[in-house]
Amino acid sequence: MPKYYCYFYFMISSTEENYLKAIFKIAENEKDNASTNSIAKHLATSPASVTDMLKKLSRKELINYKKYKGVTLTQAGSKIATKLIRRHRLWEVFLVNKLKFSWDKVHEIAEELEHIPYDELINRLDIYLGQPKFDPHGDPIPNAAGKFTLRNQVLLSDLRVLETGIVIGVKEHDAPFLQYLTSLSIKLGTEVKLMDKIEFDQSMKIEIDQKETIHLSEKVSNNLLIKLTR
């Protein structure tokens, strides 16, 4: 059974919260309105179930919903989604930095903890952690006012030969992907230098921390965020 929390004089379930967060993330990643199909894929549910939920969220004035036009969050919906993201990412920092979980283990735990609705708890957690700007996957953590810290970053796949940068984030958070990166000794803070790019399949030959050289597929290089250094 979903838990229910009170927002703006109405009740909202944890399931509804998850929909709002999904819409926020889809719009952020795709730079467009969230479609029914993209929401269904993100939440691993059916388009019909999504349509029913979107009608419910629209009645609560948490989203702007028009059939075939995609979905956007209202100001109220965006505020709830941002709070969820703040809680989630702060809990991930706590789990990794204080409880020593590996970065591939924390997402599902934080998915549960993010629904604890007490702002004072989260604000104290933020202070306890030193008010981090980014989570263990390199995602920005909104502050108490809902503002995100932005920074210059590019995909590893966008580097030119002999360019060097530091890994500052990952787009993909699935455990198998993070475990694969760990097996390659790639983590946040790893220095990478593009040695060669294979035209045939867009795979890459990169140097790690000025030590070993490895090959990465196009899929992997499209999911690593880099801050250029030279």
Side-chain angles (χ1 to χ4, degrees), residues 4 158 215:
Y4 285 82
D158 291 331
H215 287 83

Side-chain angles (χ1 to χ4, degrees), residues 14-77:
S14 56
T15 302
E16 290 169 327
E17 288 184 328
N18 287 336
Y19 270 82
L20 295 175
K21 188 176 72 167
I23 293 166
F24 185 100
K25 287 188 171 182
I26 292 166
E28 182 180 48
N29 292 335
E30 299 181 5
K31 311 299 181 186
D32 198 1
N33 295 352
S35 68
T36 299
N37 286 336
S38 62
I39 297 169
K41 182 179 179 180
H42 188 93
L43 294 174
T45 189
S46 69
S49 296
V50 172
T51 298
D52 290 342
M53 178 59 76
L54 295 182
K55 291 177 181 177
K56 184 184 296 186
L57 294 173
S58 181
R59 288 194 295 270
K60 292 184 177 182
E61 299 184 355
L62 295 173
I63 63 169
N64 301 303
Y65 172 58
K66 290 185 179 179
K67 198 172 182 179
Y68 308 122
K69 298 291 185 181
V71 183
T72 59
L73 296 175
T74 63
Q75 184 175 359

